[in-house]
Amino acid sequence: MLSTDPNDPLQWPNWKKTMILIIVSLYSFLSNSALLGPSVYIGIFAETFKISPVVASGLISYPNICYGVGTLITVPAYLKFGRRPVMILSLVVYLAGLIGCGCSTSYGSLMACRLIHALASGVCEALPVQLVNDIFFLHERGNKLGYYTVCLCWGSTGPLYAGYMLAGGYSWRLFFYVETAFAGLLLILAFLFVEETTYKRNSPDGPAIPNPNGEKRVFGHDELDGKSSEEQVERVVEVETMVPPRRTFVQTLKPWSGINKDESFFLTMGRSFSYFLVPAVLWVVATYGIYIGLGALVFNYTFPSIIVAPPYNWKQENAGLIALGNVIGYGLAVPLVWTSDRLAAYLTKRNGGIREAEMRLGVLIPAAFIAPAGLIVYGYTAQNQLHWIGYFAGVAMTDWGSYFFFTFTLAYAVDSYNANVSEMLIAMCIGKQMISFAFGIYVLEWVVESGYVTIIAGVFCGVLFANNAFVFLFMWKGKSIRKWMAGTWLARWHRGTIKQVMAH
C-alpha cells in the first residue's frame, strides 16, 4: 500500500529527490577525481620528496584501498545511525583530509592525509545506490542509477584537471585547494538538502497510526477484536486520515537521526564477506576490480611518464590529457545503455513472458572483445612509441567496454540474487579496490622489466579477456548456478536474516 505520509521519501517532491541525486552524484565524481587526479604528479612527488616513482605511486595506490575498505565501516554506520549523519560526517572528514593534503610538506604527512580523505569519501561508493533505493520507485531506479554511474566513471578524468592546474603557479597544491573549495560547497549543499531518507513503512499486520512526532504504533487484529464492524470501519477510516504534517525545513536540518535497533553493526560487517561465495557477485567484484585497475591506475600511471619523454616531449601539464580517452569511451557507451533492457524485453516476449536474469547479458559480447583489444592497441603503441593517438584509442576502447560491464554485471547480480544490497556493495567495494590495487602497485616496475607489450597487451589483456569470457558461462549455465545456490546453506541464512529488499 502506498503511503500518504508526506515524510515518506517516496512522496517527496521531484525537485527534492533530484537535488539529493545531484549532490550524491557530484560527491562520487569529486571523491574519485581527488583519488585519481594526483596520478599525474608521480614524477613531481618523486622529485620533491626524494623518493622513487614506485614509492610515489603509493600516494594513489594505498588511498585506493582505503576508498573501498572504508565502506566496511560507513555502510553499517548509515544503516544503524542514518544516511544523513554519516554523509555529513564523511564530508567533514573528507574536507579535513583535503586541507591537510594541500598543507603537507612531507611524503608521510601527505600519505596520511590522502588515506584520511579516501577512507571518509569511500561511502559514496555505496550511499548513492542506497539513497536512490530510498527515494525513487522501483521503475525509476535504473535511469537514476545511470546518472550516478556516469559521474562515477567520469571521476577518472581527475588527472586532466590536475595536469592543467600545474600552470597556476602553486605546483601540485593547487589541485587540493580547488578540491577543498568544491568539497566545502558540497558540504553546505548536503547539509541543506540531503534530508534523512530512512523510513519504516506500515506493517502488513495492522494499520499504523503516525503521531506528530513521526513515530508509528501498529494496531494488530487483537486490538480491534471485541468491537462491532461499524466501530472497526470507523476506527480504520480514522487511522487512514491521521496523516502527520510535513516536517519543516528547519526540522530537516537536524544533523542526527535515530538509531535503528533492527540493524546489527557487526553482523552487517561480517555478512558482507559471505557475498564473495556468490558466483554472480564474485564476477561483479572481479569485473570492477580489473577495469578500475586498468582505467584508474595502469593508464594514469604509465601515460604521464611516457608522454613527457622523447619522442613526444609533451609538457607536464598536458600529461593528464589521457582522461580525454575516458570521456570519449564513456561518452560513446552511454547512448547505448538502453540495449540491455531492449534485448531482455525481446527475449522475454519470445520466452512466453517469463523474464530470466541472463537475458540482458547478450549486449556484453561486443564489449568482451573490444575492451581487451584496446589494451593491445595501448601496449603496442607504448612499446613501439607509435603516434600518440594510439594511447587515446586504446583507452577509449577499454573504457567503452568497461561501461557496459560496470552497468550490466551489477544489474545481473541484483537480478540473480535476492540480496541485501548494502551488504553486497560492501563486498564489491572491498574486493574491487583490492584487485585494482594489485594491478597498479608495481605496474611501473613491471613495464620497465618486461615491456609494455608483455605486461599490458599480454598479461593484463589475457586476464581481462578471461574475466569477460565468463559472460558466455553465465549466459549458458547462469540459471543452473542460481538454482544450485538457492539450495545452499548460504541462501537459507540470507533469506532468514535479510533486513531490506529493493521492492517499493
Side-chain angles (χ1 to χ4, degrees), residues 72-218:
L72 191 60
I73 299 173
T74 53
V75 171
Y78 75 58
L79 293 175
K80 185 72 175 178
F81 305 110
R83 285 54 151 162
R84 177 175 170 81
V86 171
M87 181 171 183
I88 291 177
L89 180 61
S90 74
L91 275 165
V92 170
V93 179
Y94 172 64
L95 180 62
L98 290 174
I99 293 174
C101 288
C103 299
S104 295
T105 57
S106 67
Y107 173 79
S109 62
L110 180 58
M111 175 66 82
C113 293
R114 289 277 291 160
L115 295 177
I116 289 172
H117 82 68
L119 190 68
S121 61
V123 69
C124 69
E125 287 276 86
L127 187 58
V129 179
Q130 183 66 60
L131 292 179
V132 167
N133 178 38
D134 291 342
I135 66 179
F136 291 105
F137 290 97
L138 184 62
H139 67 277
E140 299 176 299
R141 292 179 190 148
N143 188 38
K144 306 305 180 184
L145 284 175
Y147 297 134
Y148 153 70
T149 303
V150 170
C151 290
L152 174 68
C153 292
W154 277 346
S156 61
T157 59
L160 175 64
Y161 323 125
Y164 278 110
M165 287 179 191
L166 288 175
Y170 293 95
S171 69
W172 51 270
R173 299 181 190 276
L174 179 61
F175 175 76
F176 292 107
Y177 296 156
V178 173
E179 288 277 353
T180 298
F182 280 109
L185 176 61
L186 201 61
L187 174 60
I188 295 172
L189 292 175
F191 181 79
L192 293 176
F193 296 108
V194 181
E195 183 179 344
E196 178 56 58
T197 64
T198 303
Y199 184 86
K200 290 188 177 181
R201 291 176 177 82
N202 293 351
S203 167
D205 294 332
I209 300 181
N211 64 31
N213 296 322
E215 299 173 348
K216 289 184 171 61
R217 185 162 76 91
V218 175

Side-chain angles (χ1 to χ4, degrees), residues 272-429:
S272 63
F273 290 98
S274 67
Y275 286 85
F276 291 117
L277 302 177
V278 181
V281 176
L282 186 60
W283 187 37
V284 175
V285 170
T287 295
Y288 271 70
I290 293 171
Y291 276 108
I292 290 174
L294 292 171
L297 300 182
V298 173
F299 295 148
N300 286 329
Y301 283 4
T302 57
F303 182 79
S305 61
I306 295 172
I307 209 67
V308 298
Y312 307 106
N313 295 316
W314 286 19
K315 294 181 179 180
Q316 185 69 49
E317 55 263 33
N318 294 328
L321 282 174
I322 193 61
L324 291 178
N326 304 127
V327 174
I328 295 171
Y330 293 134
L332 292 175
V334 169
L336 300 175
V337 170
W338 58 270
T339 55
S340 175
D341 288 336
R342 182 71 62 85
L343 176 62
Y346 171 74
L347 295 177
T348 299
K349 184 177 181 180
R350 289 189 56 184
N351 196 38
I354 300 175
R355 171 71 66 91
E356 300 288 355
E358 291 75 22
M359 289 178 176
R360 67 170 67 251
L361 294 180
V363 297
L364 295 178
I365 294 177
F369 293 93
I370 292 175
L375 293 181
I376 295 175
V377 172
Y378 187 94
Y380 274 92
T381 301
Q383 184 74 31
N384 300 315
Q385 299 180 336
L386 303 178
H387 195 279
W388 56 263
I389 200 171
Y391 299 108
F392 293 88
V395 171
M397 291 168 66
T398 301
D399 284 352
W400 183 87
S402 74
Y403 188 83
F404 284 89
F405 272 85
F406 282 155
T407 305
F408 300 132
T409 57
L410 177 58
Y412 174 63
V414 174
D415 290 347
S416 300
Y417 193 67
N418 188 20
N420 184 322
V421 175
S422 294
E423 294 177 359
M424 186 173 73
L425 288 172
I426 296 175
M428 284 178 49
C429 291

Side-chain angles (χ1 to χ4, degrees), residues 233-252:
V233 170
E234 181 181 354
R235 181 60 174 161
V236 170
V237 171
E238 179 185 353
V239 167
E240 291 179 346
T241 56
M242 292 179 60
V243 178
R246 176 73 170 100
R247 285 189 293 268
T248 66
F249 176 72
V250 174
Q251 288 175 325
T252 65

